[in-house]
Amino acid sequence: MDKTTKEKILDAALELFSQRGYKGASVRMISSKVGIRESALYNHFKNKEDILNTIVSTLSSSSLSFLSSGKPLEESAKKGKSFLREFATSFKLLSYDEKSEKFFRFMMIELMQNRNIRDIFLNDFHQTHLKILSQAFFIMMQEGMIRSSDPMLMAREFLSPLFFYRMQATLLRLDRESTSSVATLFEKHIDFFWEMISE
Amino acid sequence: MDKTTKEKILDAALELFSQRGYKGASVRMISSKVGIRESALYNHFKNKEDILNTIVSTLSSSSLSFLSSGKPLEESAKKGKSFLREFATSFKLLSYDEKSEKFFRFMMIELMQNRNIRDIFLNDFHQTHLKILSQAFFIMMQEGMIRSSDPMLMAREFLSPLFFYRMQATLLRLDRESTSSVATLFEKHIDFFWEMISE
DNA sequence: GTCTATACCCTGATAGAC
DNA sequence: GTCTATCAGGGTATAGAC
């Protein structure tokens, strides 16, 4: 509560962008969702694109990558399977965070249409996670916990199913279907993957 | 050449839908790409949605699942790694087929917005491939070629990276960047996966 | 900061001449 | 089967009163 009009506009815009994409969500819809006229909206943002840019720059950094939480990777990676479980859980939990989930839906819609969103997806989102994972696998290999292989390849192999399952959960939720079957896929993925790579 | 106006409309529409989504591609753009007036377009299709439906029903079946090419699965699955390589290659080649690639881009844009497209993606596209793969893995397990595990889980683990790499290739191509690095990811995936599962 | 009023463009779609 | 002409509705954005 006690949100400023500006914040209300951003919330309404994110909601509509995530449902209909940037072009499909009109300034009219956004302002009516907030409860003001279109013209009043222009007191808070220069134009429609300004709303988009504010949302993107706010959410692209914060809501996409987790695990920036202190702890040195050297320590956590040595936990092996537990580390992977923590990573996957953080990944899965993102889809339960309302704003992250809406931004994810929006990214998926715009991925093929907007170069800027593509860059954010591939760099901020994907590369960041790959980097963490490949470092972790490298450490696990050094410790002799897992088979020796290309850490970056292993990171990709571990991350792709996580991404796919997250997308699937998002799709199911859109049709108000249960996501419990997908939730177990995360668990099964970790078990399967660990069994395959562990020495 | 020698395309009917109707075919020209469908081609132009697919091109524009794949770049801008359904809403973003106007009837005006489509008809001007064909070289006719908007009104003339209505002699060939009832309305805009009719164009979409024609495209979807034409491409959802044909361009999405390959491997319907005769040969019984029992035989090909016994080839083990070669089968996986063939499967992955067919999957990769889809992204070199112009129409399949455009339809894939369109699907990605509409996935979060259109229930019908979601169903096609999850059922026609994803489930079909999972079914083939899980049957193949089941046979390989019976033959003692690979570790024993849940065939459906294994199918998902094998397919998710393929999907992700295909998506990545599509994204790179949109920015006219080289996809050769992604092409090798397909190969590496097969090698890695086979090494992990082979007995 | 919000309102009304308005400008101007793009949208899907139809009627009727050729 | 294609054209011109036209329509109502919705799109972003601005000016000026309160």
Side-chain angles (χ1 to χ4, degrees):
Chain A
M1 303 301 157
D2 269 50
K3 276 182 192 161
T4 65
T5 304
K6 190 160 186 166
E7 287 167 333
K8 283 187 202 160
I9 292 170
L10 290 172
D11 285 354
L14 178 59
E15 170 76 15
L16 288 164
F17 286 164
S18 74
Q19 288 169 356
R20 324 169 59 103
Y22 177 70
K23 273 212 69 173
S26 71
V27 174
R28 206 105 76 182
M29 286 173 179
I30 297 169
S31 50
S32 109
K33 201 175 180 88
V34 174
I36 57 173
R37 290 284 120 111
E38 300 100 273
S39 52
L41 186 144
Y42 289 91
N43 283 314
H44 304 277
F45 296 92
K46 208 176 111 254
N47 50 31
K48 191 183 175 186
E49 207 191 338
D50 190 20
I51 304 177
L52 174 66
N53 291 338
T54 307
I55 289 179
V56 169
S57 60
T58 308
L59 291 180
S60 65
S61 48
S62 79
S63 92
L64 288 179
S65 79
F66 41 87
L67 278 184
S68 45
S69 54
K71 278 190 196 167
L73 192 60
E74 281 73 20
E75 286 310 306
S76 23
K78 284 179 186 166
K79 291 190 288 178
K81 191 178 177 182
S82 293
F83 171 82
L84 294 184
R85 202 180 284 117
E86 279 170 32
F87 186 94
T89 303
S90 305
F91 202 90
K92 187 173 67 175
L93 282 181
L94 274 184
S95 71
Y96 288 97
D97 176 69
E98 211 185 324
K99 289 208 176 187
S100 300
E101 180 69 347
K102 283 175 186 169
F103 191 65
F104 182 75
R105 293 210 303 259
F106 174 67
M107 274 207 308
M108 287 297 107
I109 294 174
E110 299 296 327
L111 214 41
M112 301 283 163
Q113 305 178 73
N114 184 325
R115 162 103 210 214
N116 187 23
I117 298 290
R118 269 199 292 285
D119 285 345
I120 288 169
F121 176 76
L122 290 175
N123 300 331
D124 296 16
F125 182 70
H126 193 56
Q127 285 297 336
T128 306
H129 293 159
L130 275 187
K131 200 175 153 194
I132 294 171
L133 279 174
S134 64
Q135 285 172 346
F137 284 128
F138 180 73
I139 292 164
M140 292 182 205
M141 286 175 200
Q142 279 188 319
E143 297 288 316
M145 304 169 80
I146 58 173
R147 297 192 193 193
S148 204
S149 177
D150 175 3
M152 188 53 97
L153 171 61
M154 206 175 259
R156 268 190 288 263
E157 295 284 319
F158 183 71
L159 189 56
S160 315
L162 290 183
F163 169 80
F164 194 84
Y165 298 153
R166 185 195 168 165
M167 196 181 83
Q168 230 176 320
T170 304
L171 293 177
L172 287 174
R173 219 175 279 128
L174 278 171
D175 297 324
R176 295 198 179 66
E177 289 175 28
S178 166
T179 58
S180 57
S181 59
V182 176
T184 66
L185 293 186
F186 279 92
E187 314 302 326
K188 283 186 180 175
H189 169 56
I190 299 157
D191 289 340
F192 180 86
F193 198 83
W194 184 255
E195 206 190 313
M196 294 294 145
I197 65 170
S198 59
E199 195 73 271
Chain B
M1 302 301 158
D2 269 52
K3 276 181 191 160
T4 65
T5 305
K6 189 160 186 166
E7 286 168 334
K8 283 187 203 161
I9 292 170
L10 290 172
D11 285 354
L14 178 59
E15 171 76 17
L16 288 164
F17 286 164
S18 75
Q19 288 168 357
R20 325 170 58 102
Y22 177 69
K23 274 212 70 175
S26 72
V27 173
R28 218 154 286 205
M29 284 173 183
I30 297 169
S31 50
S32 107
K33 202 174 180 85
V34 174
I36 57 173
R37 288 285 119 113
E38 301 99 274
S39 51
L41 187 144
Y42 288 90
N43 284 313
H44 305 276
F45 295 93
K46 209 177 110 250
N47 50 34
K48 191 185 176 184
E49 207 191 338
D50 190 20
I51 304 177
L52 173 66
N53 292 337
T54 307
I55 289 178
V56 169
S57 59
T58 308
L59 291 179
S60 64
S61 48
S62 79
S63 93
L64 287 179
S65 77
F66 40 87
L67 277 185
S68 44
S69 55
K71 278 190 195 169
L73 191 62
E74 281 73 19
E75 286 310 305
S76 24
K78 285 178 185 165
K79 291 191 287 177
K81 191 177 176 182
S82 293
F83 171 82
L84 294 185
R85 201 180 285 119
E86 279 170 33
F87 186 95
T89 303
S90 305
F91 202 90
K92 188 174 65 173
L93 283 181
L94 274 184
S95 71
Y96 288 97
D97 176 68
E98 211 185 322
K99 288 207 176 186
S100 300
E101 180 69 349
K102 283 176 186 169
F103 190 65
F104 181 75
R105 293 211 301 259
F106 174 66
M107 275 207 308
M108 287 297 107
I109 294 174
E110 299 295 329
L111 258 189
M112 302 282 162
Q113 306 179 73
N114 182 326
R115 162 105 210 214
N116 187 24
I117 298 290
R118 269 199 292 284
D119 285 345
I120 288 169
F121 176 77
L122 290 175
N123 301 329
D124 296 16
F125 183 71
H126 194 56
Q127 285 297 337
T128 306
H129 293 160
L130 275 187
K131 201 175 152 194
I132 294 172
L133 279 174
S134 63
Q135 285 173 348
F137 283 128
F138 180 73
I139 293 165
M140 292 181 206
M141 286 175 200
Q142 279 187 319
E143 298 289 315
M145 302 169 81
I146 58 172
R147 296 191 193 196
S148 206
S149 178
D150 174 4
M152 189 53 99
L153 171 62
M154 207 175 259
R156 267 190 288 264
E157 295 284 318
F158 182 70
L159 189 56
S160 317
L162 290 184
F163 170 79
F164 194 83
Y165 297 153
R166 186 196 168 163
M167 195 179 83
Q168 229 176 321
T170 303
L171 294 176
L172 287 175
R173 221 174 280 127
L174 278 171
D175 298 325
R176 296 198 179 64
E177 288 176 28
S178 167
T179 58
S180 57
S181 59
V182 177
T184 67
L185 293 185
F186 279 93
E187 314 302 326
K188 284 187 181 175
H189 169 56
I190 299 158
D191 290 340
F192 180 86
F193 199 81
W194 184 257
E195 206 191 314
M196 294 295 145
I197 66 169
S198 58
E199 194 73 270

